[in-house]
Amino acid sequence: MKFKYYYGLAVVIAAMMMAACASTETVSPSSSPAKREFRGAWIQCVNGQFVGMSTEQMQNTLSYQLDELRKDGVNAIIFQVRPECDALYQSSLEPWSRFLTGQQGVAPAPYWDPLQWMVEQCHKRGMELHAWINPYRAKTKTTHDLAGSHIAKKRADWTFNYDGQLILNPGIPEARNYVCGVVDDIVKRYDIDGLHIDDYFYPYPAPGQVINDQEQYERYNRSFHNIGDWRRDNVNVFIQQLYKTIHDRKPWVKFGVSPFGIYRNAQSAPNVGSKTNGTQNYDDLFADVLLWVNNGWLDYCVPQIYWEIGNKAADYKTLIRWWNSHSADRHLYIGEDIERTVKYADPANPDVHQMGAKFNLHKQCSNVNGTVLWYAKAAVDNVGNYGTKLRTQYWRYPALQPQMKYIDGKAPNSPRKVKPLRTSGDYVLFWTKPKGSGWKDEAYKYVVYRFKDGEKVDLSDPSKIVAITQNDYYKLPYKDGKNKFTYVVTALDRMSNESKGIVKKVKL
């Protein structure tokens, strides 16, 4: 993740002004929410937001954020667990992160495992949890002391210095294997729904800095005659290896990549580049994102299109349309910068900020399957009225995850024995898990729909969803037993394929 979009007091003031303007937006029929949509939010630690918090304080903070994000319609959390070859989870391979405890290698006290806790909390709220790692960064600029168990201490020869950072060298096969081993350990031990990496491969270019990898190029060049092509291939090999590592361990765990927002500029690649002028994945970060998408080496791609509509160097409208036309056979979600979105006015309507215009562009781009918010706290803090607009307009109804038929497209069997019963003074709709063998066929969650008496049962209408849950029951809102309703319960498997519904009529 490129952490450079913080605007200080000016942003806050602008956001407050735009919040008042945003209330003049109108809801159009085209803004009706989709039934299937990835609605993610990044929760990062590298900005130090958790340092100095006790276990209880951090859990309370995260609980509040998750509750608010759920109200906003978010259905997936991308939680940073490895910012610099360290861990916000129990690991025998890497030290505890200083971004959790203040000192690398020191466990939290009272002890807890943030990743395990987040998996449980997200699943309880019907959300997915994607574990977010930075694959190659071994030390940030602001870290000064590394624990003795850190990989850069044990294998300094696997790293190079660059602009105050330490980077695991992508050109060293053992370094690639090491990262894949760390990921395999996470996927094996935690019930995560996705494994997510950000935009740091080779480091972002810095003035006067040189990547010190000539020795590795000479040793491992694999007949490449250009060091840039060799570096790109190093990352390609890693991405392919990482995808295989994840899916060999658990085929249902989704692998997602969040690249920088520009693949290539048209002046560098007239046939494929976008009409932009900025840092390039392919040329500057040695990340050939389109190759990964086209070869199916990832399950979803989240380009960080953090600019505003009308930006002279990197126009948002230009970029979302470019990614839409190049998404191929893998899911495309858009990385949205909340603060920048509410800072700038809509060019077509200066009285409002750009949230509405951007969401309209999402609707117009048929290959866009969702959004990831940068960053979660900005939505929770309702900067520029962004969170309110999510929960009252754009994401006002629950959404299932988009199907990934290239992993599994077969629906599970329907729930069994759906029946309302009275228990402990409550009226509860119970059901039994359907029969199914293996992860492709077993029910993992359930969807509960509610229809008024005489209303057509239409499971394509997300406004009728009252619960997406891992429970095998739903508490009915009983009043006096005089009103008739129809409830429908369906089963979802690991890949959100949905069964046929079982109908049950009740009086509430």
Side-chain angles (χ1 to χ4, degrees):
M1 194 64 54
K2 193 65 174 169
F3 301 99
K4 65 178 183 180
Y5 300 113
Y6 296 90
Y7 306 104
L9 182 60
V11 172
V12 176
I13 295 172
M16 293 173 63
M17 294 173 63
M18 294 308 295
C21 297
S23 64
T24 65
E25 294 180 22
T26 58
V27 180
S28 65
S30 64
S31 67
S32 179
K35 179 182 173 180
R36 289 186 179 272
E37 190 173 31
F38 189 90
R39 301 172 178 174
W42 281 294
I43 296 182
Q44 85 281 31
C45 67
V46 78
N47 65 341
Q49 66 171 320
F50 302 127
V51 173
M53 286 187 179
S54 66
T55 296
E56 182 180 12
Q57 287 173 328
M58 186 171 171
Q59 290 179 350
N60 289 341
T61 297
L62 287 169
S63 293
Y64 174 73
Q65 290 185 1
L66 293 178
D67 287 341
E68 292 301 298
L69 291 167
R70 184 185 183 189
K71 293 174 187 176
D72 289 342
V74 170
N75 60 17
I77 298 297
I78 300 175
F79 181 57
Q80 189 174 29
V81 299
R82 183 185 184 265
E84 50 179 3
C85 293
D86 52 0
L88 274 82
Y89 61 95
Q90 176 61 51
S91 173
S92 62
L93 302 176
E94 298 189 312
W96 285 101
S97 175
R98 77 169 180 88
F99 294 110
L100 174 65
T101 65
Q103 181 179 347
Q104 192 176 93
V106 175
Y111 176 83
W112 70 305
D113 184 325
L115 177 54
Q116 180 61 36
W117 188 88
M118 283 291 285
V119 167
E120 294 168 359
Q121 293 297 314
C122 286
H123 288 177
K124 184 172 71 173
R125 292 168 173 82
M127 296 172 167
E128 289 194 346
L129 189 284
H130 294 226
W132 162 22
I133 73 164
N134 182 285
Y136 285 121
R137 185 173 57 205
K139 185 188 82 66
T140 62
K141 289 184 179 182
T142 57
T143 296
H144 304 293
D145 298 314
L146 297 178
S149 60
H150 193 276
I151 190 63
K153 285 280 193 178
K154 296 190 294 185
R155 293 305 304 259
D157 56 318
W158 287 1
T159 69
F160 60 79
N161 287 282
Y162 190 91
D163 195 31
Q165 304 175 85
L166 276 179
I167 309 295
L168 278 180
N169 194 329
I172 298 176
E174 292 84 359
R176 298 195 296 264
N177 294 340
Y178 171 77
V179 177
C180 288
V182 169
V183 168
D184 186 54
D185 177 61
I186 294 172
V187 175
K188 177 175 63 177
R189 294 192 296 115
Y190 294 92
D191 187 22
I192 61 175
D193 302 285
L195 192 288
H196 183 90
I197 66 175
D198 53 26
D199 53 321
Y200 290 102
F201 301 103
Y202 280 87
Y204 277 78
Q209 299 291 314
V210 177
I211 296 175
N212 184 16
D213 61 354
Q214 185 64 33
E215 178 183 342
Q216 288 73 36
Y217 172 55
E218 293 174 359
R219 181 177 179 183
Y220 300 112
N221 67 56
R222 302 185 299 280
S223 300
F224 281 98
H225 301 294
N226 178 286
I227 197 169
D229 292 337
W230 173 73
R231 288 172 179 165
R232 263 183 297 278
D233 192 63
N234 291 332
V235 181
N236 294 340
V237 169
F238 169 72
I239 293 293
Q240 188 177 15
Q241 181 181 353
L242 188 56
Y243 183 84
K244 187 176 187 301
T245 297
I246 294 165
H247 286 280
D248 281 354
R249 176 64 64 182
K250 291 179 180 176
W252 61 87
V253 173
K254 306 165 188 175
F255 175 40
V257 180
S258 178
F260 186 68
I262 298 172
Y263 174 66
R264 300 191 80 183
N265 299 311
Q267 58 263 42
S268 299
N271 293 329
V272 71
S274 55
K275 294 181 179 179
T276 50
N277 181 23
T279 301
Q280 304 169 96
N281 278 290
Y282 184 93
D283 303 82
D284 301 314
L285 306 179
F286 306 101
D288 192 352
V289 183
L290 288 193
L291 180 70
W292 314 338
V293 170
N294 292 332
N295 285 343
W297 295 343
L298 48 78
D299 297 311
Y300 66 88
C301 180
V302 192
Q304 298 169 33
I305 311 181
Y306 287 169
W307 302 274
E308 72 277 10
I309 298 170
N311 184 285
K312 292 181 180 179
D315 174 50
Y316 179 94
K317 184 184 295 186
T318 296
L319 284 166
I320 191 173
R321 289 175 173 173
W322 185 93
W323 284 100
N324 181 67
S325 66
H326 292 84
S327 63
D329 296 324
R330 288 297 185 258
H331 282 203
L332 173 65
Y333 313 141
I334 303 301
E336 293 282 357
D337 185 315
I338 293 175
E339 291 184 344
R340 178 162 286 202
T341 296
V342 303
K343 178 182 179 181
Y344 290 96
D346 180 351
N349 184 0
D351 292 332
V352 299
H353 59 55
Q354 293 192 356
M355 182 181 186
K358 287 186 174 182
F359 269 82
N360 284 337
L361 284 169
H362 281 232
K363 289 283 187 181
Q364 295 167 17
C365 294
S366 60
N367 290 322
V368 172
N369 306 112
T371 306
V372 182
L373 305 176
W374 176 252
Y375 50 104
K377 190 175 184 299
V380 171
D381 291 345
N382 200 24
V383 174
N385 216 32
Y386 199 100
T388 297
K389 298 302 289 186
L390 287 177
R391 68 179 64 181
T392 61
Q393 182 175 341
Y394 299 106
W395 294 350
R396 63 188 182 274
Y397 306 130
L400 309 187
Q401 295 295 337
Q403 290 176 283
M404 289 185 173
K405 294 184 178 180
Y406 41 83
I407 297 179
D408 172 39
K410 182 183 177 182
N413 292 322
S414 301
R416 299 181 297 149
K417 301 178 182 179
V418 180
K419 187 176 182 179
L421 294 172
R422 294 195 178 276
T423 175
S424 302
D426 292 324
Y427 198 28
V428 181
L429 189 65
F430 288 97
W431 56 86
T432 301
K433 183 177 181 178
K435 294 180 180 180
S437 177
W439 69 270
K440 287 187 177 182
D441 297 324
E442 291 181 349
Y444 182 63
K445 293 180 184 178
Y446 303 93
V447 186
V448 183
Y449 300 81
R450 168 184 163 118
F451 299 89
K452 295 178 181 178
D453 186 33
E455 196 171 32
K456 181 182 177 181
V457 172
D458 179 8
L459 301 190
S460 68
D461 184 353
S463 70
K464 304 305 177 183
I465 297 174
V466 294
I468 300 172
T469 178
Q470 289 188 322
N471 297 327
D472 56 2
Y473 61 88
Y474 174 75
K475 183 179 177 180
L476 296 166
Y478 184 83
K479 289 187 177 180
D480 52 17
K482 296 180 179 180
N483 296 301
K484 297 179 180 179
F485 293 92
T486 298
Y487 280 82
V488 181
V489 183
T490 65
L492 299 176
D493 63 16
R494 281 277 188 175
M495 301 312 301
S496 290
N497 298 302
E498 187 176 21
S499 74
K500 294 180 179 179
I502 300 299
V503 177
K504 186 60 61 175
K505 296 183 182 293
V506 298
K507 291 182 179 180
L508 301 176

